[in-house]
Amino acid sequence: MDRPNRPAALASTPGQPESQVQTTSSDTRVSATLPTGDSVEVLLYGATVTSWKTPARENLFVSSAAILDGSKPVRGGIPLVFPVFGPAPAGSKLPQHGFARNVKWEFLGKSTSEGESSVKLDFGLSWATLPEDWRTKWEHKFGLVYSVTLAPGSLSTALVVSNEGDEAFEFQSLLHTYLSVDDIQNVQIAGLDNSPYIDKVPSATAKTQSGLIAFSGETDRVYSPPTPPSDPVTVQEGGKTRFRVVRDNLPDVVVWNPWVEKAAGMGDFEPKDGWKNMVCVEAGSVSAWTKLEKGDVFEGAQTIYAE
Ligand code: TA6
């Protein structure tokens, strides 16, 4: 309805200082930079965080051969795993790790905290926005909202899953974070001592962690620590803490490094010795299936602190 003498659109709320948080968005990616110099970039394809910088450094590993055109999940950053972790169950048409990292999400908008010390970027995906061919692979009416919050020295990512259909469904979810390190051979992970885990190398075997995790070969483990998810998992390098990962409602932690042979076998993994410069510490709910009844909502989140 036309209203005469409508006020012109306000460029900014009168009296409010120009925002100090810089955000840019395009039809492929969204980025944000804080006044401190911390920054984050999110590819709309898969809502994949492809860069998280603190003033000192880039904190995520992304393969130099990562495909960023939407034709393949990104090799690096923080790919999203939903509704299945690993190979899909027999009879399912879903690919490994599900579809969330394989489809384009919608940028829903940003919000800044009081005093603009942090910025939250929201992304959405639902059954209604899922490309048709994917709906045939998983027919449940779901809704996903993924929030990426950048604060000085930390990055939080949170996934909210809602059941918008009439039937219950079960799912797994995981934040497949590739952390950047100088040399995996000097990395140790603390915070999982005494935790049961499934060691997938060479084949699934139930074990219990004793002391720090060190790396001397391909490592692929699903930890289910008995301690609260709020207890940090700490990535140390050369005896100094590099990262602390704190979880909320994500009971499991996957630790992965492909090492020489698996890195050599991945076409999108470059440089071939890049396995030395990454460790995946993945917060998730994958050792069991989460069941959502009609109208139910699940939220799982992680906060990574760069030291
Ligand atoms: O998170 C560990 C893992 O499940 C490994 O088994 C390995 O397959 C890795 O994910 C990468 O999977 P992708 O499908 O991205 O090649």
Side-chain angles (χ1 to χ4, degrees), residues 75 85 96-97 101 176 178 200 220 254 256 266 282:
R75 177 67 61 201
F85 170 70
Q96 161 138 310
H97 291 338
R101 64 176 186 166
H176 201 294
Y178 288 70
K200 293 162 67 174
D220 194 354
V254 175
W256 178 58
M266 290 186 276
E282 310 161 19

Side-chain angles (χ1 to χ4, degrees), residues 82-84 86-88 92-99 101-102 134 137:
F82 176 87
V84 61
S92 166
K93 299 174 188 168
L94 288 172
Q96 161 138 310
H97 291 338
F99 58 75
R101 64 176 186 166
N102 294 63
W134 283 106
K137 294 178 172 60

Side-chain angles (χ1 to χ4, degrees), residues 83-85 170-173 222 224 251-252 284-291:
V84 61
F85 170 70
E170 293 187 336
F171 69 94
Q172 296 170 318
S173 58
V222 182
S224 299
D252 305 313
S285 181
V286 297
S287 53
W289 291 83
T290 300
K291 184 171 186 176

Side-chain angles (χ1 to χ4, degrees), residues 21 47 54 114 249 254 271:
V21 176
T54 42
E114 194 65 33
N249 201 31
V254 175

